Amino acid sequence: MAHLPAGLSPGSPRVSIARISHDTSATVCFANQGTRTVQLAGNLTPEYGGNNPAGAKLPDVVRIDYIRRGRETWWTFAPVVAKRFALVKPSFVGTWTLYAALGAFALLCAGGVALMLGGRRR
Amino acid sequence: MTWWRRVPPACVACAAIAWGHAAVWAVVTPTFQVPDEQTHFGYTQYLAETGGLPTNTAPGRFTPEQAVLSRGTPFSIEGWPTWQPSQSRRLHRQLRSVKPSAVNNEAVQAVNNPPLYYVLEAIPYGAARSLNALDRLFVMRLFSALLAALTVAFTFLFVRELLPGTPWAWTVGALAVAFQPLFAFMGGGVNNDNLVYTLGAALVYLLARAFRRGLSPALGAALGAVAIAGLLTKSTFLGMLPGGALGVVLAAWRAAPARRARAVRGALTAGGVLALPAAAWVVANEVVFGRSPTTLTSGLLAPSAKASIGGNLSYLWQYFLPRLWFMSDRFGSYPVWDVYVQGFVGRFGWFLIGFPRWVNWLATGVYIAIIALAAAAVTRRGILRRRWPELVAYLGVVLGMLIVVGIAGYRYRITTNLPLEQPRYLLSLLALYGGLVAVAARGAGARWGRAVGGFLVVAAMGHSLFAILRTVAHYYS
């Protein structure tokens, strides 16, 4: 259980949770322990651009981000990305597939460059 | 020489690259994160399982397989999906025990669409029917990627007709399209827009061929066949037809006197090949398949008490041009910039994944430079004077698409107060984009042309690489 301070926060409030070692389901509850109405605002759900290019006022959406501990570079984080990449995918997909896809893209680019350079000889 | 031997090897290579690029996006994009993919999958499933066309417009209906997929697939239009290995394992387990069927089918939003794309997608669906739904969807995505390959092939052939004396430009134009990230993202998903792109490129190629080599009955038949195929794919293809018809008329008019009779026969053949199957489809749609007449135009021209001609004109004007003093402000922003320009630079997933604003401005600068170079090339050496009918035809195709999508957008907005227009609806004009890039490179002159063309293609590669990385970062980080 965590207590969020009253009033507006300068940024999104952060709550530390213990490390979870296995998949689990959880329900996150917000309980108002004060005497006045609480409104959740300022969430980072994009309001403009994306699927709301007209900037229409939408019902507020609460968003919870689970942030990994410490600071990581994209390089050290890549294996986690690759592991998530393989989830809910066709049967043949594994953690290798992300790297294979990027490698395939590089080969396609090389092929395109070779095609253009090959045209010089004609 | 048999026809496939006449296809240049470079054309085949560009098409293969396009297929590979779309296949990369098919792997990268999570399930149902291509717009409307769920309903297009549902339509195909219904058609493949029953042999008939869906008519049910009741919302929230799923086959047992679709219900398992929907519950088990992390999905969010606005937010970031969450990934759990146990959830993924459970989904794969459940999919092994559920069989494909057409009971209670989710084709709701796609019901109004004509069936051609889904008939074609039923082929990989059927071939992969014994696989689980995720694998089957992936096979269907790879088939869509084949359509992307054909689009690029037609782009190559179009540029060859446009610039017959500049072979390197054919590859430049084709690869500029092959590496366009929004196009590849769509090509890697199950969506009937992919066949619209292919047929749009085919139409433009055939028009170019008519202008360069003369209209003939065989060419007219091909034009008519592409037109009817487009109408049997999606009603937005209607936007291509006025410009296409104008092109056919101008090509016949410009024919040399000795060939005019042949050209006129070609034009009449095009009209006949389009009109007769179209009339048959109008009858069959209602009498044989029991579908509402509004499905002929995907609901585009359904009666609307709120729509007015004045309102539509005001909407179209303000979408593209500054508001006039007597018009009420419909948008409060500049929708061409918000939707079409930024969207063409890249919006992926359900329009949520894009680039920072500075990237959009940089890309706009590149597009302006391309247009300027192309304009310089066209106005040089009397090209505009000699080939103005051809350019007018292409302009007609572009305007037709903008107007049809604009009409659909107006009718949708006055009913739902939500925007409809998306840049993917205009990707049927991609062959013209490839031609524009090729002409721009040519316009850089004999000394710098190849270098400019190479730069533009490599820039497109970098553009797509960053689009892929942004998409991966959004969904999986």
Side-chain angles (χ1 to χ4, degrees), chain A residues 22-26 43-46 48-54 56 58-59 61 63-66 68 74 77 80-93 97-98 100-122, chain B residues 9-10 13-14 16-17 20-21 24 26-31 72-74 77-78 80 83-89 91-92 132 134-135 138 167-168 171-172 175 179 331 333 338-339 347 350-353 357 413 419 450 453-454 457-458 461 464-465 468-469 472-473 476-477:
Chain A
H22 56 272
D23 286 353
T24 185
S25 292
N43 71 75
L44 296 179
T45 303
Y48 204 83
N51 69 324
N52 188 18
L58 303 174
V61 176
R63 175 177 135 188
I64 302 172
D65 287 334
Y66 293 93
R68 289 167 61 88
W74 280 108
F77 191 48
V80 177
V81 173
K83 195 174 168 188
R84 294 175 185 175
F85 181 92
L87 300 177
V88 192
K89 283 274 170 50
S91 306
F92 73 90
V93 173
T97 313
L98 173 61
L102 294 174
F105 183 78
L107 284 175
L108 293 171
C109 292
V113 170
L115 204 53
M116 286 190 294
L117 291 175
R120 287 183 67 89
R121 297 190 194 101
R122 282 188 249 118
Chain B
C14 290
I17 288 172
H21 189 201
V24 167
V27 171
V28 165
T29 308
T31 304
T73 301
I77 289 180
E78 286 195 1
W80 280 243
W83 305 100
Q84 290 180 309
S86 60
Q87 183 183 16
S88 181
R89 285 192 298 270
L91 174 62
H92 276 276
N132 76 41
L134 284 172
D135 295 349
F138 183 70
W168 59 261
T171 304
V172 166
L175 289 181
F179 283 105
F331 298 107
S333 62
D338 289 333
V339 175
R347 283 214 185 105
W350 284 80
F351 329 121
L352 191 65
I353 309 163
R357 194 59 66 95
R413 195 180 285 257
R450 281 179 200 259
V457 172
V458 172
M461 293 172 180
S464 194
L465 173 65
I468 291 171
L469 292 176
V472 168
Y476 309 111
S477 70

Side-chain angles (χ1 to χ4, degrees), chain B residues 100-288:
Chain B
S101 75
V103 175
N104 294 337
N105 187 58
E106 165 66 8
V108 172
Q109 287 149 30
V111 156
N112 276 336
N113 283 331
L116 184 57
Y117 173 78
Y118 308 104
V119 168
L120 296 175
E121 277 286 4
I123 299 170
Y125 177 96
R129 191 176 183 276
S130 60
L131 305 178
N132 76 41
L134 284 172
D135 295 349
R136 200 175 330 125
L137 177 68
F138 183 70
V139 172
M140 293 166 73
R141 283 182 167 188
L142 292 183
F143 181 83
S144 272
L146 273 180
L147 296 176
L150 280 175
T151 303
V152 167
F154 281 124
T155 300
F156 183 100
L157 297 173
F158 165 66
V159 180
R160 188 174 70 161
E161 299 299 322
L162 207 63
L163 300 169
T166 317
W168 59 261
W170 313 344
T171 304
V172 166
L175 289 181
V177 171
F179 283 105
Q180 212 289 330
L182 180 66
F183 166 63
F185 160 68
M186 290 299 299
V190 176
N191 191 299
N192 65 343
D193 282 332
N194 288 304
L195 184 54
V196 175
Y197 306 159
T198 305
L199 295 170
L203 184 77
V204 168
Y205 159 59
L206 292 172
L207 281 178
R209 206 175 158 89
F211 279 107
R212 182 169 160 238
R213 302 175 195 236
L215 191 54
S216 66
L219 190 49
L223 279 161
V226 167
I228 188 61
L231 291 181
L232 290 176
T233 301
K234 195 172 183 182
S235 67
T236 50
F237 201 83
L238 277 168
M240 305 284 291
L241 297 191
L246 178 63
V248 166
V249 168
L250 288 172
W253 172 61
R254 290 281 283 195
R259 293 188 172 196
R260 188 154 297 141
R262 177 171 164 264
V264 169
R265 282 198 304 275
L268 292 173
T269 305
V273 170
L274 168 61
L276 293 174
W281 170 244
V282 167
V283 173
N285 183 66
E286 200 170 348
V287 172
V288 176

